Amino acid sequence: MVAPATADWDALAARARLVRRSKAAVLYAFLIAVSLPIILPYFWLVTIAFSARTGVAETAVLWRSMGVVVPAVIAFWLTAALAQSRRQLWTGITAVAVIASLAFALLVGPDLHLGNFIFLWEPDFASVVRSRVGEVRGAVQFPNVWHAFANSILIAGAQTAIVVTVASLAAYYLSRFHFPGRSAMLRSLLVLHAFPVLTLIVPMFLMLYWIGLLDTLFGVILVLVAFELPFAIFIMKGFFDAVPWDIEMSALTDGASRRQAFVSVVLPQVRNGILAIAVFTFIRGWEEYIFVFTFLIRNSNWTMSLYMYWVRDDVMGVDYGVVSAVGVFYLVPSLILYMAAQRYLMQMSIGGVKG
């Protein structure tokens, strides 16, 4: 009688590790390949902002910085793919980061400076930039960049507060109550969100002019709120649908009013959805360009998007470094907010569809 063959568990484990590493390597390679066209323009923007001098973008600095960053990214990828333990992973990442930092400091560090961010402390920076190269054109009077920054914060913050409040109340009502026309209203929310808003610029311009809100921040806030509400309501309804009715009924049975049950029981269950639509709405208001360009006229009402446009239009060809520096300054707040709330944004795509 032939004895049954015993399995070589060491060989099977080694084969499984090899397969897992191969899949991880292919996945990392794919992610790096599809990310490069998105990341490189931002990288070049940052590099020019901190290295360009007197209107000239030093391509040598760009290529030297690329020569450091690209090998560092590949080294990170190989470390993540080949590490056999968490300790090896973090050791390899730390070593690559240290080597890349030293190489960047030696090859690129001497060319870095903050002169292109002159607009942060010089209100009449446009005249300074033009005088560097003897350029006198440009009749645009730039407001203080911090004033434009405050206008953008005001528009984005007010829009976020209104959208979150109205969307939460409307979505709760649509989720918990049945009334004639409820299904048609839900379908209309998707239609309104898919409607091309650019076709309404002229009617909205005339409406704001007739009611006296043209060239005011409040008028722009109302327009942005009107276009953001349908999507926010639809998403929040999905989160409210995912909250079991039994939880709310238990609170009502214990003597809580409908308002108390909503505030103390239901809202904490949908806080991820509230944070997610708040982040999306804030970023939407922060980066808005078409409506603010159309409805805001005086430079005292400029937002950061208008500030960025006029810097590009007025001093483009004079100082690329300043234009890139304004772009970096404009990008930082939305990037910080997105990275801080990335987990909630992922949960929004899950919870919003679940309902």
Side-chain angles (χ1 to χ4, degrees):
M1 185 174 182
V2 180
T6 58
D8 190 351
W9 296 109
D10 293 335
L12 292 177
R15 181 179 179 183
R17 287 193 297 268
L18 179 61
V19 171
R20 185 176 66 253
R21 292 174 188 171
S22 301
K23 292 181 179 179
V26 172
L27 177 61
Y28 281 117
F30 172 77
L31 292 177
I32 292 174
V34 300
S35 299
L36 283 178
I38 302 174
I39 297 176
L40 286 181
Y42 290 102
F43 177 74
W44 280 53
L45 177 73
V46 175
T47 304
I48 294 175
F50 286 96
S51 64
R53 298 179 185 273
T54 319
V56 180
E58 297 290 345
T59 55
V61 178
L62 291 172
W63 290 114
R64 286 203 302 268
S65 59
M66 287 287 295
V68 175
V69 172
V70 172
V73 172
I74 296 176
F76 278 121
W77 164 49
L78 293 175
T79 301
L82 299 178
Q84 299 182 2
S85 64
R86 184 175 297 273
R87 182 176 181 179
Q88 291 183 358
L89 175 63
W90 286 110
T91 302
I93 290 178
T94 303
V96 172
V98 171
I99 296 174
S101 300
L102 292 176
F104 193 86
L106 293 174
L107 297 177
V108 185
D111 295 302
L112 301 181
H113 62 93
L114 297 176
N116 293 323
F117 291 85
I118 185 176
F119 59 90
L120 294 178
W121 57 81
E122 177 59 53
D124 192 22
F125 80 96
S127 299
V128 178
V129 171
R130 299 186 194 111
S131 65
R132 291 176 179 174
V133 292
E135 179 67 45
V136 295
R137 73 172 180 88
V140 177
Q141 297 296 323
F142 286 87
N144 192 301
V145 68
W146 297 107
H147 185 76
F149 185 88
N151 287 341
S152 291
I153 291 292
L154 177 61
I155 289 178
Q159 174 193 355
T160 302
I162 296 174
V163 168
V164 169
T165 302
V166 176
S168 299
L169 296 175
Y172 176 77
Y173 191 85
L174 289 172
S175 175
R176 290 294 189 260
F177 297 94
H178 295 274
F179 54 90
R182 176 175 177 270
S183 300
M185 180 176 291
L186 292 175
R187 289 192 295 268
S188 67
L189 292 177
L190 293 178
V191 174
L192 289 175
H193 182 65
F195 194 83
V197 297
L198 294 182
T199 59
L200 300 178
I201 287 184
V202 174
M204 295 299 299
F205 184 93
L206 296 176
M207 290 176 62
L208 292 178
Y209 173 76
W210 288 334
I211 63 180
L213 292 180
L214 186 64
D215 196 22
T216 63
L217 299 180
F218 183 67
V220 175
I221 291 172
L222 290 181
V223 173
L224 294 178
V225 167
F227 288 118
E228 289 298 316
L229 268 178
F231 178 71
I233 293 174
F234 185 80
I235 291 297
M236 285 305 301
K237 180 187 177 298
F239 278 93
F240 282 116
D241 288 343
V243 178
W245 169 248
D246 296 338
I247 298 177
E248 190 174 355
M249 180 59 68
S250 299
L252 297 175
T253 303
D254 291 339
S257 64
R258 197 63 183 260
R259 180 183 61 83
Q260 291 173 334
F262 172 73
V263 173
S264 302
V265 177
V266 180
L267 279 184
Q269 302 295 322
V270 298
R271 63 182 181 274
N272 291 338
I274 293 176
L275 290 173
I277 64 170
V279 171
F280 270 120
T281 305
F282 186 91
I283 293 178
R284 174 73 171 83
W286 174 262
E287 65 184 13
E288 175 55 41
Y289 169 72
I290 297 296
F291 289 127
V292 297
F293 182 78
T294 305
F295 301 145
L296 299 180
I297 302 172
R298 293 173 297 173
N299 60 359
S300 60
N301 289 330
W302 280 6
T303 61
M304 282 304 302
S305 57
L306 283 180
Y307 194 92
M308 177 69 193
Y309 167 78
W310 285 112
V311 168
R312 193 275 314 165
D313 187 70
D314 188 76
V315 300
M316 173 60 77
V318 176
D319 202 313
Y320 294 98
V322 173
V323 177
S324 300
V326 175
V328 171
F329 180 73
Y330 182 35
L331 176 66
V332 168
S334 58
L335 181 62
I336 293 175
L337 182 63
Y338 180 81
M339 293 179 64
Q342 188 175 9
R343 178 169 64 93
Y344 300 105
L345 299 181
M346 181 64 67
Q347 292 180 356
M348 188 201 76
S349 62
I350 299 174
V353 175
K354 186 187 300 182

